[in-house]
Amino acid sequence: GVYAIFQDLRQKYPDKYPVGANPRVHDAIVGELGVVGELDRARNRGDSLAAALRKLNAVVDPDGPFAQGAQFTAADCQLLPLLERARAYALYFDGSLDGFDRAQRLLDASWAHAYRFVGADVTSLARILLRYKPDLERASLADDFDGVSDSARLRWLREASDQSRRFAAAKLARNHVAVAKFALRSAGLPTEPFDHVDRCLLAVADALLDAATDYSAFHLPPADRPSAAAALTALSLNIGVPRDFSVQPANALRAHCATLAAALAADAPDRGEDPTAISI
């Protein structure tokens, strides 16, 4: 695993390995009984997570932003993916970030630099958690992270920059057939025929490029609407960060897919105004 990779690097390059100015802090974080191990064991267990955060707060530099202050070290690298997952768990299921201040400061400082290109967002992580713990009761904030609430969907539509919308549209247009089949598979549906879902995705790409959010002019035969809506909904829930996009393009595409899915699923006439269409 990742821990073994870091250990191997430390053994091969002892003079270059970024332990930091305080080896004791490094060992307290990544050692056998350190914070990394506690977080890894905690994973999806809230009580163990609280204990791991207490241990973290006791060893990291109180002034931050990183574990040893201004210097980014190997210990920070090992902490980041675990802290991301811990944050998602705490928000998604507990609705609280008690004791997470120093961990959040480390995440924020890392996302301000190169980590934003490889880090996962809370929406992607929360959905992974749901696969492992589908029976856990979600916090009231969960719908906002999923983007399934109207407030989250509208927020993501408003926050989408021109650059993020263009990026999402370009990637979708390049891979629309593969994405259509992936959407159908994600919904548990046959991948043939896929033309009706492909039409929807091209409409989404057009809307992204035009900064449009009203799909009332888009029409699909009534027989194709249920499967298209299911596929678009499944796609909106399976767009991953950083696997597929960075956060802003991902949210733009998630929101547009969910918006068109809602329009198709509504009991609307075949032509004319769709009561679920959203304009902002």
Side-chain angles (χ1 to χ4, degrees):
V2 174
Y3 179 76
I5 293 173
F6 277 94
Q7 287 295 95
D8 189 48
L9 289 172
R10 189 176 186 181
Q11 291 172 5
K12 287 183 177 179
Y13 309 103
D15 297 332
K16 297 181 179 180
Y17 191 78
V19 170
N22 192 335
R24 287 189 299 177
V25 171
H26 178 274
D27 291 341
I29 292 173
V30 304
E32 184 177 353
L33 300 176
V35 178
V36 167
E38 289 279 355
L39 285 169
D40 193 45
R41 285 187 290 273
R43 287 186 179 264
N44 306 328
R45 300 191 300 273
D47 53 345
S48 299
L49 175 57
L53 290 175
R54 286 194 296 270
K55 181 174 283 190
L56 173 73
N57 292 336
V59 298
V60 300
D61 189 309
D63 298 320
F66 303 114
Q68 296 193 43
Q71 184 182 19
F72 188 80
T73 67
D76 297 298
C77 290
Q78 294 181 68
L79 280 170
L80 283 170
L82 294 167
L83 291 178
E84 280 184 334
R85 187 167 55 203
R87 180 177 183 271
Y89 181 96
L91 286 171
Y92 208 74
F93 295 112
D94 298 336
S96 170
L97 286 176
D98 290 343
F100 208 80
D101 292 351
R102 293 181 184 178
Q104 185 62 53
R105 185 179 57 195
L106 193 156
L107 285 172
D108 289 344
S110 301
W111 271 80
H113 298 288
Y115 194 70
R116 69 181 182 272
F117 297 110
V118 296
D121 71 332
V122 69
T123 302
S124 301
L125 290 164
R127 290 168 183 168
I128 292 171
L129 286 169
L130 277 179
R131 295 191 186 110
Y132 289 110
K133 297 284 186 177
D135 298 327
L136 281 180
E137 183 178 352
R138 303 188 309 163
S140 59
L141 295 173
D143 285 347
D144 282 338
F145 297 127
D146 268 351
V148 298
S149 68
D150 283 341
S151 60
R153 184 171 47 166
L154 286 168
R155 185 179 72 252
W156 286 351
L157 290 171
R158 287 193 299 268
E159 291 175 350
S161 66
D162 289 343
Q163 182 179 11
S164 64
R165 286 187 291 97
R166 286 196 297 267
F167 184 86
K171 192 168 183 179
L172 182 58
R174 284 197 303 269
N175 303 286
H176 58 95
V177 172
V179 175
K181 293 183 177 181
F182 171 76
L184 286 162
R185 284 196 304 272
S186 298
L189 297 170
T191 57
E192 296 286 349
F194 65 86
D195 290 354
H196 60 305
V197 177
D198 194 36
R199 281 187 58 200
C200 294
L201 294 179
L202 293 176
V204 166
D206 284 341
L208 286 164
L209 290 173
D210 293 340
T213 57
D214 186 339
Y215 286 96
S216 60
F218 179 76
H219 303 292
L220 205 63
D224 290 336
R225 291 181 185 178
S227 60
L232 288 170
T233 299
L235 179 60
S236 74
L237 295 173
N238 283 281
I239 296 168
V241 174
R243 181 193 65 195
D244 303 314
F245 296 96
S246 58
V247 174
Q248 289 289 339
N251 284 347
L253 185 54
R254 286 164 173 163
H256 274 270
C257 287
T259 299
L260 181 50
L264 292 171
D267 185 17
D270 191 35
R271 298 190 64 85
E273 185 176 356
D274 189 323
T276 67
I278 297 176
S279 297
I280 61 172

